[in-house]
């Protein structure tokens, strides 16, 4: 698969405890993106963060939170990301979604 030099980065901010159809939401999003043949996705787990309600979530032992911040990044051409957005919207009940233009410097192995 070739990825154009000018692409779009979809970034999704959710809580670790969020679910979709009984499974972790971040897993469901990544599996759906893969099934739709998007170029790539990565899930990042944050050690501390807060969202719209300003509730601090942290891994610190004295204020242990099970609902840590999760960031999912998906990169592909703009049209494929745009086509994925309605599916993503149906999966999410909250969170933050951002889009930004990115320049792809390398994708896959050197040939």
């Amino acid at each position: 698969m070739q990825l154009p030099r000018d692409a779009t980065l979809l970034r999704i901010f959710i809580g670790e405890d969020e679910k979709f159809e009984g499974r972790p939401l971040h897993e469901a999003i990544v599996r759906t993106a893969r099934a739709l043949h998007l170029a790539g996705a990565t899930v990042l787990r944050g050690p501390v963060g807060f969202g719209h309600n300003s509730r601090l979530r942290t891994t610190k032992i004295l204020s242990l939170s099970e609902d840590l911040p999760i960031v999912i990044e998906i990169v592909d051409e703009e049209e494929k990301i745009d086509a994925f957005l309605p599916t993503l919207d149906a999966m999410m009940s909250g969170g933050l979604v951002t889009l930004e233009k990115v320049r792809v410097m390398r994708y896959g192995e050197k040939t």
Side-chain angles (χ1 to χ4, degrees):
M1 173 185 198
Q2 274 301 97
L3 193 59
R5 186 170 177 91
D6 294 320
T8 299
L9 170 63
L10 169 62
R11 191 174 285 138
I12 305 155
F13 299 82
I14 59 173
E16 184 177 42
D17 288 348
E18 293 187 47
K19 304 276 188 221
F20 178 73
E21 297 180 347
R23 69 182 343 162
L25 177 59
H26 61 277
E27 283 184 23
I29 291 170
V30 170
R31 289 180 185 276
T32 302
R34 184 172 183 255
L36 295 173
H37 305 288
L38 296 177
T42 300
V43 175
L44 307 164
R45 184 176 188 232
V48 65
F50 69 91
H52 73 280
N53 64 6
S54 296
R55 184 172 149 234
L56 193 63
R57 292 169 168 93
T58 179
T59 58
K60 289 188 176 184
I61 195 69
L62 295 177
S63 56
L64 186 63
S65 172
E66 296 176 1
D67 190 23
L68 293 171
I70 295 285
V71 178
I72 306 160
E73 294 188 339
I74 302 173
V75 177
D76 209 319
E77 56 190 75
E78 183 176 11
E79 295 78 17
K80 289 183 81 172
I81 294 292
D82 286 346
F84 179 64
L85 292 177
T87 301
L88 177 65
D89 188 51
M91 297 173 82
M92 295 180 64
S93 60
L96 172 68
V97 177
T98 64
L99 293 170
E100 62 186 85
K101 301 287 184 192
V102 293
R103 177 165 290 160
V104 175
M105 302 305 293
R106 181 179 301 167
Y107 178 69
E109 298 176 6
K110 285 185 177 184
T111 55

